[in-house]
């Protein structure tokens, strides 16, 4: 066993060295990028357990934005396969796989083991071999750890699978907060008071969620402490108190209020004091989102006659329009990398799509998404992926080229995703 | 017009009754509160329409009550129609159409006749577009209706607004017929 570990670490070490000497830079924004093809023959283990672990693992690989999972129908050895033997290699080389991931899933009492092996076909080497344990009923946790380790150690990409998504879920006529891991596993409802809750937003540290609740018969803004479940009223001015967004310091909240007449943007402390008005126009100004340095803010305004995306210098309050195509551009969000703004773009004759644009308004790119009407984009914490809500009521995750669109939730009723930082 | 005359009669009779009984209660508003004293009023109003239609020999003893109910029904009908008649908007617009102005003028007349009534205007959008923008749009629609009612002389303190955006659509359909019904401001008497 010791020797096996030493061997694995050697492999890891060698790979890491090469990786750091010559970083494997995956420019997923470059056109024509080829995703790495992964074969995942059926895992060894009790079918009910192995099946769900396999499904989560497949979803996470696709979601990561760098892998493409080969259709099981093309496997020559469909499995179950716990480990790749030299004799199996050509079966996977023939179907064009770059990597083969095999696993054995087992159970000991209440604890489950996920023993996983990643083999690189081109070098015929074991890239990774490790065992992850978790409670048997939350085996997806083991998959998340495996995925983050794989991404970090082998592809120099910060893991995302310990980040969470909060969305609005409609159930029995009520809309409440729904928090799950970013791949949709381990979800649960958090009641935000009343029967209608909207516009969730994470604090930068992932410990709080700002949202809108009609608990007091008005769209008011609240902050929820995720650990304690305690809710605090932030803003309940006459009119709307909607679309909260934390600034990067996590000490101020930007919101849309109509207290002074029409919907304008304001920022305030988390207790609602120290309110500063950010916009002054006859039009509707809404949906603020800060740049990672907090100096700029994107928002949606109808000051040009229909809703368009604007960017504001927060210090001077000067705003410039950055969307010039289409007549309905809404819900902008700043990438955590600061290099892009995603928003909901009405493509004439084709409905609503998620689009990305540079903060200066150049290089607009429309993501294919589901093609059924996509809204409410939310960047992943590393800015490589975008979660959004489709008109079918589910949350999807796409990469910035839109080459893979993965369905994260099931069952429907979901809207307005927001994505937390990892390590939750 | 006929209705108005009838109201005036009832009021006069009522005033007479109140003065006679020495009641100092200030009653200028024909609301539900005045229903009980109407028993007296009806005896002085034998020619009213409601009496005629409901009058039969044996039921004459029950008539005063019927009359009261009839007036209550009129007010209830007016209130119901106040709450039933929404105003509608074009896509992504919150300016009032001529039709909406007409409906609001009717509502202002009713509110002027019932100065104690308070209302709430709910602003809605259709399902197209995004939730966040639609919440703001619903607010502007409710506010546009409020502003016009204030312009017509209704005190702003009597009017509350709330926006639901694309939530709670009146018609759950996904076509223009449904959308047109859902781009609305709805009025509730509080």
């Amino acid at each position: 066993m010791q020797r096996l570990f030493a061997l694995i670490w050697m492999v890891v070490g060698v790979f890491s060295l090469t990786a750091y000497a010559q970083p494997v830079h995956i420019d997923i924004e470059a056109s024509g990028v080829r995703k790495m093809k992964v074969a995942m023959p059926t895992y060894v283990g009790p079918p009910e357990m192995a099946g769900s672990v396999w499904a989560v693992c497949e979803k996470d690989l696709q979601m990561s934005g760098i892998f493409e999972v080969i259709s099981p129908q093309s496997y020559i050895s469909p499995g179950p396969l716990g480990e790749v033997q030299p004799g199996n290699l050509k079966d996977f080389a023939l179907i064009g796989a770059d990597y083969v991931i095999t696993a054995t899933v087992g159970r000991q009492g209440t604890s489950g083991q996920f023993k996983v092996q990643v083999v690189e076909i081109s070098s015929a080497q074991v890239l990774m071999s490790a065992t992850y344990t978790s409670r048997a009923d939350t085996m997806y946790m083991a998959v998340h750890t495996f995925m983050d380790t794989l991404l970090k150690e082998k592809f120099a990409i910060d893991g995302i699978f310990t980040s969470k998504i909060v969305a609005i879920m409609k159930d029995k006529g009520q809309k409440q907060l729904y928090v799950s891991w970013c791949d949709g596993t381990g979800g649960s409802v958090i009641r935000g008071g009343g029967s209608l809750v909207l516009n969730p937003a994470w604090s930068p540290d992932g410990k709080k969620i700002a949202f809108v609740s009609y608990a007091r018969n008005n769209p008011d803004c609240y902050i929820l402490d995720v650990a304690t479940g305690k809710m605090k009223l932030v803003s309940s001015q006459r009119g709307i108190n909607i679309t909260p967004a934390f600034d990067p310091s996590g000490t101020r909240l930007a919101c849309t209020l109509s207290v002074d007449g029409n919907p304008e943007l304001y920022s305030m402390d988390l207790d609602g004091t120290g309110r500063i008005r950010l916009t002054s126009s006859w039009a509707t100004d809404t949906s603020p989102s800060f740049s990672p340095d907090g100096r700029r803010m994107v928002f949606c305004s109808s000051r040009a006659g229909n809703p368009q995306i604007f960017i504001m210098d927060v210090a001077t309050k000067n705003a410039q329009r950055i969307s010039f195509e289409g007549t309905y551009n809404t819900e902008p969000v700043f990438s955590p990398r600061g290099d892009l703004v995603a928003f909901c773009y009405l493509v004439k004759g084709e409905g609503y799509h998620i689009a990305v644009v540079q903060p200066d308004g150049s290089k607009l790119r429309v993501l294919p998404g589901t093609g059924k009407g996509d809204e409410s984009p939310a960047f992943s914490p590393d800015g490589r992926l975008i979660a959004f809500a489709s008109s079918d009521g589910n949350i999807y995750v796409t990469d910035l080229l839109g080459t893979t669109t993965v369905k994260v939730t099931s069952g429907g009723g979901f809207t307005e995703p927001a994505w937390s930082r990892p390590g939750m | 017009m006929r209705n108005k005359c009838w109201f005036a009669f009832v009021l006069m009779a009522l005033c007479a009754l109140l003065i006679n009984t020495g009641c100092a209660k200030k009653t200028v508003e024909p609301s539900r509160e005045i229903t009980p004293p109407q028993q007296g009023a009806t005896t002085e109003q034998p020619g009213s329409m409601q009496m005629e239609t409901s009058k039969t020999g044996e039921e004459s003893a029950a008539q005063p009550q019927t009359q009261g109910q009839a007036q209550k029904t009129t007010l209830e009908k007016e209130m119901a129609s106040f709450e039933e008649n929404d105003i509608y908007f074009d896509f992504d617009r919150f300016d009032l159409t001529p039709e909406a102005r007409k409906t609001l003028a009717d509502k202002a007349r009713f509110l002027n006749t019932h100065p104690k009534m308070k209302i709430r205007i709910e602003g809605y959008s259709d399902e197209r577009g995004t939730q966040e923008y639609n919440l703001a749009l619903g607010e502007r629609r409710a506010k546009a209706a409020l502003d016009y009612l204030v312009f017509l002389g209704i005190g702003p303190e009597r009017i509350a607004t709330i926006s639901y955006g694309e939530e709670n659509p009146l018609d759950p359909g996904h076509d223009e017929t449904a959308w047109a019904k859902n781009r609305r401001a709805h009025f509730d008497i509080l």
Side-chain angles (χ1 to χ4, degrees):
Chain A
M1 196 63 192
Q2 289 286 334
R3 273 170 56 197
L4 181 67
F5 261 108
L7 187 71
I8 293 161
W9 283 115
M10 259 172 63
V11 175
V12 169
V14 169
F15 193 87
S16 303
L17 278 177
T18 38
Y20 287 123
Q22 223 173 21
V24 186
H25 180 63
I26 300 157
D27 184 5
I28 60 161
E29 280 152 65
S31 57
V33 68
R34 192 179 79 90
K35 294 197 178 189
M36 290 171 277
K37 290 192 174 179
V38 178
M40 297 172 65
T42 311
Y43 294 171
V44 172
E48 76 288 348
M49 208 170 164
S52 68
V53 172
W54 198 96
V56 173
C57 196
E58 183 193 14
K59 190 200 258 187
D60 289 1
L61 284 163
Q62 307 255 34
M63 235 184 93
S64 73
I66 62 170
F67 298 110
E68 179 190 330
V69 178
I70 298 170
S71 164
Q73 279 151 359
S74 50
Y75 297 162
I76 296 162
S77 322
L81 203 59
E83 259 181 16
V84 175
Q85 308 297 333
N88 302 119
L89 275 176
K90 72 170 191 322
D91 287 353
F92 296 104
L94 279 172
I95 58 169
D98 297 305
Y99 301 95
V100 187
I101 298 178
T102 52
T104 304
V105 180
R107 183 182 192 134
Q108 282 179 343
T110 56
S111 133
Q113 286 82 39
F114 177 48
K115 184 168 176 281
V116 60
Q117 184 197 56
V118 182
V119 172
E120 189 176 56
I121 300 292
S122 62
S123 62
Q125 278 185 342
V126 176
L127 201 61
M128 209 174 143
S129 176
T131 301
Y132 301 94
T133 55
S134 165
R135 261 174 44 202
D137 55 347
T138 57
M139 280 303 285
Y140 48 79
M141 298 296 281
V143 179
H144 294 163
T145 314
F146 158 67
M147 281 301 303
D148 279 351
T149 313
L150 177 70
L151 290 177
K152 183 74 188 166
E153 292 183 2
K154 310 304 169 197
F155 300 98
I157 290 174
D158 287 333
I160 53 165
F161 291 100
T162 54
S163 64
K164 289 187 168 176
I165 283 181
V166 59
I168 299 301
M169 187 181 75
K170 187 171 189 174
D171 184 34
K172 299 182 193 96
Q174 295 213 347
K175 284 198 170 185
Q176 299 297 339
L177 299 169
Y178 185 85
V179 177
S180 72
W181 297 106
C182 68
D183 60 358
T185 53
S188 62
V189 173
I190 302 178
R191 290 192 57 85
S195 57
L196 182 57
V197 170
L198 299 166
N199 303 167
W202 288 102
S203 63
D205 64 7
K207 290 179 176 161
K208 301 185 197 84
I209 296 169
F211 64 99
V212 171
S213 170
Y214 284 66
R216 288 158 47 121
N217 249 326
N218 193 59
D220 297 324
C221 192
Y222 294 79
I223 290 178
L224 170 86
D225 184 307
V226 179
T228 64
K230 277 188 184 149
M231 261 170 71
K232 207 176 68 182
L233 182 62
V234 181
S235 183
S236 58
Q237 300 298 317
R238 187 186 164 124
I240 48 173
N241 303 260
I242 61 167
T243 72
F246 284 91
D247 80 345
S249 73
T251 60
R252 300 273 295 171
L253 200 66
C255 286
T256 310
L257 311 182
S258 59
V259 62
D260 293 322
N262 67 59
E264 302 279 3
L265 295 173
Y266 299 78
S267 72
M268 62 193 75
D269 292 337
L270 302 190
D271 60 0
T273 61
R275 196 166 76 219
I276 294 171
R277 184 165 166 178
L278 299 172
T279 56
S280 291
S281 81
W282 65 273
T284 298
D285 296 318
T286 188
S287 306
S289 171
F290 286 97
S291 63
D293 61 8
R295 287 152 83 172
R296 292 181 295 171
M297 185 185 83
V298 284
F299 63 102
C300 168
S301 175
S302 64
R303 61 185 68 179
N306 46 47
Q308 296 293 344
I309 311 303
F310 288 74
I311 190 162
M312 174 191 285
D313 182 301
V314 177
T316 64
K317 297 182 188 168
N318 285 334
Q320 281 182 317
R321 182 171 166 180
I322 60 166
S323 66
F324 300 97
E325 285 181 45
T327 55
Y328 195 100
N329 296 314
T330 57
E331 297 187 338
V333 281
F334 229 116
S335 158
R337 294 198 296 205
D339 58 343
L340 286 173
V341 175
F343 59 97
C344 176
Y345 171 46
L346 174 59
V347 184
K348 207 173 176 188
E350 280 185 48
Y352 297 89
H353 281 266
I354 305 304
V356 289
V357 72
Q358 298 200 347
D360 63 0
S362 68
K363 296 189 182 165
L364 175 79
R365 195 166 66 229
V366 181
L367 306 183
T370 65
K372 292 180 275 192
D374 300 336
E375 295 180 10
S376 306
F379 276 100
S380 64
D382 60 1
R384 291 192 309 110
L385 308 169
I386 293 175
F388 62 86
S390 168
S391 65
D392 70 1
N394 282 301
I395 308 295
Y396 290 77
V397 169
T398 180
D399 58 65
L400 296 179
L401 278 181
T403 50
T404 314
T405 300
V406 180
K407 189 173 163 184
V408 165
T409 56
S410 57
F414 296 95
T415 49
E416 299 197 279
W419 205 326
S420 84
R421 74 179 189 101
M424 292 296 98
Chain B
M1 201 59 205
R2 249 193 109 139
N3 245 351
K4 254 190 178 167
C5 286
W6 184 78
F7 255 135
F9 268 123
V10 173
L11 270 175
M12 272 165 62
L14 184 67
C15 284
L17 187 79
L18 286 172
I19 290 159
N20 282 346
T21 52
C23 175
K25 197 185 170 196
K26 194 171 65 179
T27 313
V28 284
E29 186 191 356
S31 70
R32 276 182 249 203
E33 293 159 35
I34 62 163
T35 310
Q38 252 170 356
Q39 291 189 3
T42 46
T43 51
E44 292 165 33
Q45 286 274 312
S48 87
M49 264 169 53
Q50 283 81 357
M51 297 275 298
E52 277 164 10
T53 50
S54 63
K55 196 168 185 174
T56 59
E58 295 90 27
E59 284 173 357
S60 58
Q63 258 162 36
Q65 214 183 345
T66 312
Q67 173 71 15
Q69 274 171 351
Q71 192 183 356
K72 193 174 154 187
T73 310
T74 310
L75 179 64
E76 271 178 356
K77 269 186 192 159
E78 283 183 328
M79 287 173 70
S81 109
F82 184 95
E83 293 193 329
E84 272 162 22
N85 290 327
D86 292 350
I87 59 170
Y88 301 95
F89 298 84
D90 292 333
F91 177 70
D92 190 28
R93 301 299 292 265
F94 54 87
D95 47 335
L96 302 169
T97 62
E99 217 176 322
R101 282 168 204 269
K102 216 172 129 251
T103 309
L104 286 168
D106 290 342
K107 292 190 192 301
R109 262 193 297 279
F110 177 77
L111 290 171
N112 269 323
T113 340
H114 303 86
K116 283 184 183 163
M117 271 186 193
K118 290 191 171 185
I119 63 159
R120 188 173 74 164
I121 310 175
E122 299 171 349
Y124 295 92
S125 71
D126 65 34
E127 63 177 352
R128 292 174 299 166
T130 50
Q131 177 61 272
E132 295 185 2
Y133 186 75
N134 280 337
L135 275 173
L137 184 61
E139 166 74 8
R140 299 209 81 163
R141 286 175 175 163
K143 187 71 174 15
L146 178 148
D147 287 346
Y148 196 64
L149 289 175
V150 171
F151 171 73
L152 294 174
I154 310 301
E157 71 286 348
R158 297 173 61 194
I159 312 169
T161 60
I162 187 167
S163 171
Y164 286 103
E166 56 189 75
E167 298 302 317
N168 311 331
L170 192 66
D171 187 327
H174 305 288
D175 53 21
E176 182 47 45
T177 319
W179 295 330
K181 283 185 206 160
N182 294 334
R183 294 189 298 266
R184 66 195 173 111
H186 175 75
F187 301 80
D188 273 332
I189 295 166
L190 299 176

